[in-house]
Amino acid sequence: MLQDPLRFWAIISQAVGFTLIILLETWLGRAQAGYWQLRILGVMIAVALVIALLRRYQNKRFLKEQERRRQLLLEDEEDN
């Protein structure tokens, strides 16, 4: 888990969000907590989307690097 920082931040952000939602329900009661719980849920979704975009960017960058290395190996084989 610690070798993948995006997964770590995804888990932490969701755990903190759910904890806050439960604590608000406990402290404020259902009537007053709903407004803040929706806001927290929106932030959780936004963080999840950002992490998904970062993951996609990371994967594309990895694939490009892998393709570049493959091309270098092919060029080296052709030279020999």
Side-chain angles (χ1 to χ4, degrees):
M1 182 170 93
L2 293 177
Q3 294 177 359
D4 188 0
L6 291 179
R7 178 177 289 182
F8 172 78
W9 286 112
I11 292 170
I12 293 298
S13 68
Q14 297 302 302
V16 167
F18 284 126
T19 302
L20 285 174
I21 287 173
I22 291 168
L23 288 175
L24 285 171
E25 181 80 21
T26 303
W27 287 335
L28 300 177
R30 184 66 183 144
Q32 289 86 15
Y35 173 79
W36 292 105
Q37 288 174 333
L38 285 175
R39 301 300 183 268
I40 291 171
L41 185 61
V43 170
M44 289 170 61
I45 291 171
V47 169
L49 289 174
V50 167
I51 290 173
L53 289 174
L54 290 172
R55 170 77 66 202
R56 184 176 170 98
Y57 171 75
Q58 185 180 48
N59 286 340
K60 282 188 171 189
R61 190 174 59 184
F62 174 75
L63 290 175
K64 284 182 183 179
E65 180 64 22
Q66 196 174 26
E67 180 62 25
R68 186 186 68 80
R69 288 181 182 175
R70 190 178 70 78
Q71 288 296 329
L72 287 174
L73 286 174
L74 288 175
E75 289 173 4
D76 282 347
E77 287 179 3
E78 289 174 0
D79 290 341
N80 293 333

